[in-house]
């Protein structure tokens, strides 16, 4: 019997992990994103969530590997796993350096996320955990699309750290449909993924803001109205990254949604061309 296609990514899409090294140590010791503390805190807060999150994503997708027959989707699962594993390594290094250089407590930052994941493994079915991964992959894909399209979110940031975020955004773009296609192939429903997006968006903001507050508190700026005004302006007005991703966030609720309905492979090509002109140290391209 012929194997039915279970991957709905564009034909010719090929991706895998890139070997990169970023010289971020010096910049991480201070507010690397422009003059205000909030922007730096926001990106650092997200990075602090990634290693645990990405392990959860890998586990949720690979749990269903034996249920997939399509060789194209199986190859994409392997590439997804390889890319997310390198993201984990880079962000773990980022987080450890950050905490060492700025005297932050890494265990405290990860506490709530770790507890919620333990709950998810205990209480949720494997398919519900995969739905959570699909939702988080949508969040990362739409933020990556905004970051790479508009190229203003990292204006004023340290170039090496900005390069790390752009590299991560490129790979999130490439594998944005892998968890989704696995979820559909194993019978995941529209209602399950809609619920998962609502829940996971809430927890993404809760955890990120919690980490932002811990960081600003440590820096003595938690109660600075100026810092918060500038941060909220950055997120919602100018450049307004979170405002700009709202339409893309809503698209996920469509019954016939698929991540590749928006074909943004041109962003990957553009980034790859830029790498040839100004490679990051350690590039294998
Ligand atoms: Fe990632
Ligand atoms: Fe991802």
């Amino acid at each position: 019997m012929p194997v039915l296609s279970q991957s709905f990514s564009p034909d010719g899409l090929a991706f895998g992990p890139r070997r990169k090294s970023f010289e971020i140590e010096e910049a991480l010791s201070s507010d690397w994103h422009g003059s205000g503390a909030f922007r730096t805190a926001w990106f650092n807060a997200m990075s602090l969530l990634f290693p645990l999150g990405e392990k959860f994503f890998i586990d949720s997708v690979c749990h269903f590997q034996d249920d997939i027959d399509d060789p194209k989707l199986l190859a994409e699962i392997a590439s997804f796993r390889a890319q997310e594993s390198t993201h984990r390594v880079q962000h773990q290094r980022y987080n450890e350096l950050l905490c060492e250089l700025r005297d932050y407590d890494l265990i405290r930052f990860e506490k709530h996320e770790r507890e919620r994941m333990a709950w998810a493994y205990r209480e949720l079915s494997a398919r519900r955990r995969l739905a959570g991964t699909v939702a988080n992959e949508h969040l990362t894909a739409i933020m990556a699309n905004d970051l790479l399209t508009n190229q203003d979110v990292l204006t004023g940031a340290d170039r090496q750290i900005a390069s790390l975020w752009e590299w991560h955004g490129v790979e999130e773009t490439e594998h944005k449909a892998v968890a989704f296609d696995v979820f559909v192939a194993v019978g995941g429903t529209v209602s399950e993924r809609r619920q998962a997006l609502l829940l996971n968006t809430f927890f993404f903001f809760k955890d990120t803001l919690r980490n932002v507050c811990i960081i600003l508190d440590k820096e003595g700026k938690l109660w600075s109205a100026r810092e918060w005004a500038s941060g909220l302006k950055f997120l919602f007005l100018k450049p307004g990254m979170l405002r700009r991703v709202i339409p893309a966030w809503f698209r996920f609720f469509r019954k016939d949604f698929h991540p590749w309905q928006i074909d943004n492979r041109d962003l990957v090509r553009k980034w790859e061309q830029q790498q040839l002109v100004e490679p990051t140290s350690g590039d294998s391209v």
Side-chain angles (χ1 to χ4, degrees), residues 111-157:
K111 186 174 183 289
H112 286 196
E113 190 185 20
R114 203 177 279 281
E115 286 169 356
R116 198 171 54 262
M117 279 170 185
W119 171 84
Y121 279 110
R122 214 172 46 239
E123 304 291 338
L124 298 183
S125 67
R127 206 168 84 187
R128 286 279 179 182
R129 294 198 298 272
L130 180 59
T133 296
V134 171
N136 277 298
E137 285 289 294
H138 181 60
L139 294 177
T140 50
I142 61 179
M143 288 193 285
N145 181 64
D146 183 82
L147 187 136
L148 297 168
T149 303
N150 294 300
Q151 304 208 327
D152 53 4
V153 172
L154 291 167
T155 301

Side-chain angles (χ1 to χ4, degrees), residues 137-243:
E137 285 289 294
H138 181 60
L139 294 177
T140 50
I142 61 179
M143 288 193 285
N145 181 64
D146 183 82
L147 187 136
L148 297 168
T149 303
N150 294 300
Q151 304 208 327
D152 53 4
V153 172
L154 291 167
T155 301
D158 170 79
R159 202 50 231 149
Q160 283 289 317
I161 301 184
S163 294
L164 184 151
W165 284 99
E166 286 159 1
W167 155 79
H168 195 162
V170 162
E171 297 199 348
E172 288 302 319
T173 303
E174 291 174 316
H175 72 230
K176 65 179 176 174
V178 178
F180 189 96
D181 285 342
V182 173
F183 177 71
V184 172
V186 300
T189 67
V190 174
S191 154
E192 281 169 348
R193 70 168 162 85
R194 283 175 179 158
Q195 287 170 28
L197 186 63
L198 290 173
L199 210 66
N200 283 278
T201 303
F202 169 78
F203 282 117
F204 167 75
F205 280 108
K206 179 188 156 293
D207 288 347
T208 307
L209 274 174
R210 175 179 177 268
N211 285 353
V212 167
C213 289
I214 296 172
I215 292 170
L216 290 180
D217 192 27
K218 180 86 182 160
E219 305 299 328
K221 291 175 180 166
L222 180 59
W223 302 106
S224 161
R226 202 170 141 201
E227 214 47 80
W228 280 94
S230 131
L232 293 174
K233 184 180 166 204
F234 171 73
L235 294 176
F236 292 101
L237 291 175
K238 202 175 169 197
M241 174 181 172
L242 295 184
R243 169 181 50 79

